């Protein structure tokens, strides 16, 4: 037990001092898919003090090819990703305090989660959440590390408030877009490469070695054997609404954001109730069984196959995923038919 971190302490830039600092730090990971599960495992093995991990989804068979924390049993039980992640992470390092949150990152929740965090890791699959993370980072002066990948391509950058440009500054200058949907598929090594960049940077921040941070935006394609490292430090905009002198934090202002979202590459639509709700899943199961569908329930969610094409997954917090459609109006019709 005592020499658990000996190899990391032998590494001079970290040392015993750096390890001591790492052990007191709290990291928030937004997303528990491929990037999130690899980041979480790396940080928990490295011995951070506390990890908060947030995700809105549950484990499916198509995740197992690259989402390293999950097992066949998790997929069979349709466990929420953060619950399965916490189970596995607690086995890896029981001294890390792990907080698992099953939720969709909304503005008010993200602000709450970020309150006493030292670092945020982006492991989301969507643009809207990244813009919120960026504004929260600027508002509370918390660094965040961007990472995205699709197919065999990946990209990463470290945002330090007051020191680097922010995500919003870079939007129209560097190719950050086009990575939001996983319709092009993805291979595991691309995920691990992005995570290697993200976690190296994370360890520098957590150990207090800011001088060693990479100040360039890095991108690569492992299949095409391409690598790019772009200087972006001069791209900070004085008039940026997120990090400039006159700030409005535009992505935190729509408190009533979209209540429906088409999920990337999933043939699914998410509908979020417009006010806080707690669903009685057991009661709901009885209702659905009476309607003749196939129902599967665990303590966190209920899955209901309406017909051969559509399946509803209802979470305790009232969120519903409608699988089998990308059409928001069709999804809403199903939602109202079965859930009022
Ligand atoms: Zn900015």
């Amino acid at each position: 037990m005592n020499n658990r971190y000996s190899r990391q302490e032998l590494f001079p830039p970290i040392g015993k001092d750096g390890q001591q600092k790492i052990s007191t730090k709290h990291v928030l990971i937004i997303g528990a898919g491929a990037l999130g599960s690899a980041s979480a495992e790396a940080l928990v093995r490295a011995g951070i003090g506390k990890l908060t991990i947030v995700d809105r989804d549950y484990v499916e068979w198509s995740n197992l090819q690259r989402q390293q924390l999950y097992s066949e049993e998790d997929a069979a039980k349709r466990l929420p990703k953060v619950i399965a992640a916490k189970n596995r992470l607690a086995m890896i390092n029981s001294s890390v305090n792990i907080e698992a949150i099953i939720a969709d990152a909304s503005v008010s929740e993200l602000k709450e989660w970020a309150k006493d965090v030292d670092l945020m890791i982006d492991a989301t699959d969507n643009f809207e959440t990244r813009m919120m993370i960026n504004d929260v980072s600027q508002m509370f002066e918390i660094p965040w590390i961007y990472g995205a990948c699709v197919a065999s391509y990946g990209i990463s950058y470290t945002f330090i408030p007051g020191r680097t440009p922010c995500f919003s500054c870079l939007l129209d200058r560097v190719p950050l877009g086009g990575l939001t949907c996983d319709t092009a598929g993805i291979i595991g090594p691309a995920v691990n490469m992005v995570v290697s960049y993200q976690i190296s940077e994370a360890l520098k921040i957590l150990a207090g070695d800011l001088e060693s941070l990479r100040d360039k935006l890095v991108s690569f394609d492992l299949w095409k054997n391409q690598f790019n490292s772009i200087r972006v430090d001069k791209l900070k905009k004085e008039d940026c609404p997120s990090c400039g002198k006159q700030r409005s934090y535009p992505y935190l202002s729509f408190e009533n954001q979209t209540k429906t979202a088409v999920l990337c590459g999933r043939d699914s639509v998410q509908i979020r109730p417009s006010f806080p709700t707690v669903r009685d899943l057991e009661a709901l199961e009885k209702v659905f069984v009476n309607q003749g569908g196939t129902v599967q329930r665990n303590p966190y969610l209920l899955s209901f196959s309406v017909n051969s094409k559509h399946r509803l997954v209802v979470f305790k917090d009232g969120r519903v995923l409608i699988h089998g459609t990308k059409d928001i109006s069709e999804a809403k019709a199903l939602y109202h038919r079965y859930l009022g």
Side-chain angles (χ1 to χ4, degrees):
M1 289 282 277
N2 289 335
N3 63 0
R4 173 166 200 143
Y5 304 114
S6 61
R7 299 305 187 276
Q8 206 159 275
E9 289 173 354
L10 275 171
F11 178 64
I14 294 182
K16 281 198 185 303
D17 255 18
Q19 188 60 42
Q20 169 56 30
K21 286 180 186 150
I22 289 170
S23 73
T24 64
K25 298 292 163 64
H26 181 188
V27 180
L28 169 63
I29 300 181
I30 303 110
L35 290 172
S37 50
S39 282
E41 178 167 344
L43 289 172
V44 163
R45 285 191 189 275
I48 60 168
K50 182 175 178 182
L51 172 72
T52 300
I53 184 159
V54 184
D55 193 277
R56 63 186 178 187
D57 220 333
Y58 58 90
V59 182
E60 291 188 290
W61 290 91
S62 65
N63 302 148
L64 301 181
Q65 160 250 3
R66 68 198 177 285
Q67 303 189 10
Q68 67 188 50
L69 292 175
Y70 310 130
S71 66
E72 294 186 351
E73 194 184 339
D74 298 329
K77 287 183 177 165
R78 293 197 172 109
L79 272 190
K81 286 185 179 176
V82 291
I83 300 296
K86 184 177 176 172
N87 292 344
R88 174 72 186 140
L89 293 168
M91 283 194 267
I92 290 170
N93 191 343
S94 58
S95 63
V96 180
N97 179 1
I98 299 163
E99 183 184 23
I101 300 174
I102 311 168
D104 193 32
S106 70
V107 169
S108 55
E109 286 169 315
L110 193 58
K111 275 158 97 177
E112 189 60 34
W113 301 328
K115 254 184 190 163
D116 47 46
V117 148
D118 297 291
L119 171 68
M120 295 186 285
I121 307 267
D122 161 37
T124 62
D125 59 2
N126 70 87
F127 181 78
E128 190 186 326
T129 310
R130 286 196 181 104
M131 297 310 290
M132 287 195 294
I133 294 171
N134 187 59
D135 272 359
V136 167
S137 148
Q138 293 298 328
M139 181 178 265
F140 298 123
E141 299 190 335
I142 305 165
W144 74 282
I145 305 173
Y146 162 65
C149 49
V150 63
S152 50
Y153 174 84
I155 184 167
S156 181
Y157 186 70
T158 307
F159 293 98
I160 311 282
R163 175 169 158 158
T164 67
C166 82
F167 193 73
S168 185
C169 292
L170 302 185
L171 272 186
D172 50 356
R173 324 265 191 101
V174 286
L176 300 169
L179 287 176
T180 49
C181 274
D182 56 0
T183 45
I186 182 142
I187 55 168
V191 173
N192 290 316
M193 188 85 171
V194 169
V195 169
S196 292
Y197 280 112
Q198 286 183 297
I199 299 304
S200 303
E201 293 286 282
L203 290 175
K204 293 173 194 172
I205 292 171
L206 300 175
D209 185 8
L210 298 187
E211 289 314 301
S212 297
L213 286 171
R214 175 175 39 74
D215 56 2
K216 293 179 176 141
L217 181 133
V218 66
S219 70
F220 60 83
D221 190 315
L222 293 174
W223 212 266
K224 293 179 186 158
N225 308 309
Q226 293 166 345
F227 178 86
N228 278 299
S229 189
I230 312 168
R231 278 200 79 136
V232 293
D233 49 337
K234 300 269 188 314
L235 299 182
K236 187 168 165 64
K237 289 180 180 169
E238 287 307 313
D239 60 348
C240 174
S242 298
C243 75
K245 291 201 177 76
Q246 299 278 329
R247 300 182 185 188
S248 56
Y249 301 122
Y251 297 92
L252 299 183
S253 57
F254 359 93
E255 196 52 68
N256 291 314
Q257 293 161 77
T258 32
K259 298 298 178 209
T260 56
V262 180
L263 301 192
C264 271
R266 292 265 270 117
D267 197 24
S268 305
V269 174
Q270 172 182 265
I271 298 183
R272 232 173 35 194
S274 45
F275 48 87
T277 314
V278 180
R279 282 274 182 194
D280 182 342
L281 298 180
E282 205 177 333
L284 201 57
E285 182 179 20
K286 286 180 188 141
V287 174
F288 286 159
V289 166
N290 284 337
Q291 297 186 17
T294 313
V295 183
Q296 187 190 15
R297 179 168 64 87
N298 66 35
Y300 314 97
L301 58 85
L302 179 152
S303 165
F304 171 50
S305 298
V306 180
N307 51 44
S308 58
K309 186 163 177 263
H310 298 108
R311 187 161 59 83
L312 308 186
V313 174
V314 184
F315 289 82
K316 258 190 174 162
D317 66 0
R319 274 183 314 118
V320 178
L321 300 182
I322 292 114
H323 296 298
T325 181
K326 286 191 185 77
D327 179 347
I328 286 182
S329 51
E330 185 182 25
K332 278 185 168 166
L334 285 163
Y335 179 94
H336 291 304
R337 187 181 317 154
Y338 293 100
L339 292 154

